Amino acid sequence: MNAPLNTTALREQLYKDMSPLNLTPLWEVLHALVPPQPASPCVAALWKYEQVRPFLMRSGEAITAEEAVRRVLILENPALRGQSAITQSLYAGLQLILPGEVAPSHRHTQSALRFIVEGHGAYTSVDGERTTMHPGDFIITPSWTWHDHGSEAQGPVVWLDGLDIPMLRFFDAGFAENGDAKSQPVSRAEGASFARYGHNMAPVRHDAPFGATSPIFSYPYARSREALDTLERDAPIDAWDGVKLRYVNPQNGGSPMPTMATFMQKLPAGFVGKAWRQTDGAVYSVVEGQGEVDIEHAGVRHTFPLTPRDHFVVPSWHTARLRSTSGCVLFSYSDRPVHQALGIHKEERLS
Ligand code: GTQ
């Protein structure tokens, strides 16, 4: 500001004198409070699995799943260190469970998604029903449902945890409880929820067992992959996304969880995507194949090489584009349902 000295002094004295009353002038911060466009403090980042995996395995030697309650390495946005957040609203972590271990039962108001990254045969139990994990499966833990994880597998099992932890922290709406037993009793056959809700059919008389959250716990990879393959052969390829589908809550067609949307997409071999940006920052897990992503913001550009089990984040309003010479499958999640509920979701598809 180019105010004359006496004005500057007048203002500074005002700020100083009113500060004890917890008063502060809007005009000094208005531009930052109401920015012309999103100015996320987050940065684009990549976690190569080959670099992360040794630390996951070391964590398996350092602490048991039971002692840790959840043995997870948090993927922290480099610009938000110490905040346990990958974007301002979302949390991401890689959870390890070893043969014979149990991550004890608890429940919390935070919603969780699990995306299986490595290994077969661990399970998660939600509300009395077990779901066996396979790579590429997308599994849900609805808000306030009891859940524990265990493994009768041969080797380590690793999955991506996506939670709305920072969002609930923002709203100061987090509650949590520990269960009485290490593992909750199984009260329903595995696959019951999928049989009821996963076949384009639904029970004749039912209400929503988990409120705003999908009644399907597990969306198996085999089904998602089959859909993408069929569409890649027969449907037009989207110039930005390749072939991309969103997971749905079959009861209302909306996102599987009220706070998080999830997606799976296939970039066909030879795909050179166009650039886009949107207000919902997104976290990606590379499922199969190879590719590259460019992420650009405020004159800073990253190009990340993508191979299976890598993770990366595209923050809000960063321009991104995807490429693949040999084909690539990507899972992703974002806070889009919240943007849409508030009427503030915005996407620009650049040409
Ligand atoms: O599995 O319940 O990565 O409560 C963070 C918090 C996983 C879980 C996380 C959790 C969980």
Side-chain angles (χ1 to χ4, degrees):
M1 255 185 253
N2 290 323
L5 260 186
N6 59 342
T7 308
T8 307
L10 192 75
R11 289 177 187 171
E12 269 166 15
Q13 195 60 48
L14 167 67
Y15 303 167
K16 199 165 150 243
D17 292 349
M18 68 184 174
S19 182
L21 272 71
N22 304 306
L23 295 169
T24 191
L26 169 64
W27 57 88
E28 295 287 347
V29 293
L30 182 59
H31 55 287
L33 288 185
V34 188
Q37 56 180 22
S40 176
C42 304
V43 293
L46 169 72
W47 290 264
K48 293 300 285 179
Y49 196 65
E50 62 180 21
Q51 293 180 335
V52 172
R53 192 178 189 280
F55 292 108
L56 270 170
M57 296 309 139
R58 270 172 66 180
S59 75
E61 290 162 14
I63 193 164
T64 65
E66 193 173 345
E67 200 185 346
V69 182
R70 297 293 182 263
R71 191 206 286 115
V72 179
L73 299 185
I74 302 172
L75 307 183
E76 274 194 330
N77 194 287
L80 302 178
R81 293 307 309 270
Q83 296 185 41
S84 306
I86 191 159
T87 68
Q88 296 258 75
S89 61
L90 296 174
Y91 161 102
L94 289 170
Q95 181 158 178
L96 168 68
I97 198 144
L98 293 169
E101 287 191 320
V102 171
S105 185
H106 71 183
R107 63 176 176 173
H108 38 71
T109 47
Q110 291 82 1
S111 296
L113 68 86
R114 329 281 173 188
F115 185 71
I116 316 312
V117 167
E118 175 184 343
H120 287 263
Y123 64 85
T124 186
S125 291
V126 174
D127 199 41
E129 183 175 333
R130 273 191 186 183
T131 299
T132 304
M133 300 176 171
H134 316 276
D137 291 351
F138 157 53
I139 293 173
I140 293 178
T141 309
S143 174
W144 206 241
T145 53
W146 294 108
H147 55 285
D148 47 83
H149 317 301
S151 177
E152 285 146 19
Q154 300 297 313
V157 176
V158 175
W159 64 86
L160 171 68
D161 280 326
L163 287 90
D164 52 13
I165 288 173
M167 207 185 301
L168 268 73
R169 182 166 61 199
F170 175 79
F171 289 122
D172 287 330
F175 292 88
E177 275 179 7
N178 290 321
D180 295 331
K182 236 168 54 164
S183 309
Q184 60 182 293
V186 173
S187 59
R188 270 177 295 149
E190 173 156 5
S193 66
F194 198 73
R196 284 200 184 90
Y197 299 100
H199 299 277
N200 300 317
M201 302 176 90
V204 176
R205 285 174 204 85
H206 72 283
D207 52 9
F210 303 107
T213 300
S214 173
I216 299 178
F217 299 134
S218 176
Y219 294 73
Y221 184 52
R223 300 284 292 262
S224 318
R225 187 68 163 80
E226 187 188 344
L228 294 177
D229 284 347
T230 303
L231 292 172
E232 184 186 355
R233 281 195 301 273
D234 303 332
I237 304 299
D238 183 84
W240 290 266
D241 293 336
V243 176
K244 186 170 185 176
L245 295 174
R246 63 181 179 91
Y247 291 87
V248 297
N249 174 346
Q251 289 189 308
N252 58 22
S255 58
M257 287 155 288
T259 49
M260 293 183 283
T262 48
F263 307 89
M264 190 168 274
Q265 74 194 102
K266 178 125 193 266
L267 311 179
F271 183 74
V272 180
K274 294 185 177 181
W276 82 93
R277 56 183 177 174
Q278 45 198 326
T279 50
D280 53 323
V283 180
Y284 287 76
S285 181
V286 183
V287 192
E288 288 187 64
Q290 335 263 307
E292 265 185 354
V293 61
D294 290 333
I295 307 173
E296 196 173 337
H297 186 67
V300 181
R301 178 166 171 172
H302 299 272
T303 297
F304 296 147
L306 307 177
T307 51
R309 301 168 176 163
D310 292 347
H311 293 86
F312 63 97
V313 56
V314 180
S316 168
W317 217 239
H318 284 44
T319 301
R321 85 174 82 209
L322 293 161
R323 282 185 298 281
S324 176
T325 47
S326 56
C328 189
V329 180
L330 301 169
F331 170 85
S332 57
Y333 68 97
S334 83
D335 56 0
R336 189 174 307 172
V338 182
H339 292 234
Q340 290 174 327
L342 301 178
I344 54 166
H345 183 250
K346 187 174 163 86
E347 177 180 25
E348 258 181 25
R349 306 191 110 191
L350 312 164
S351 50

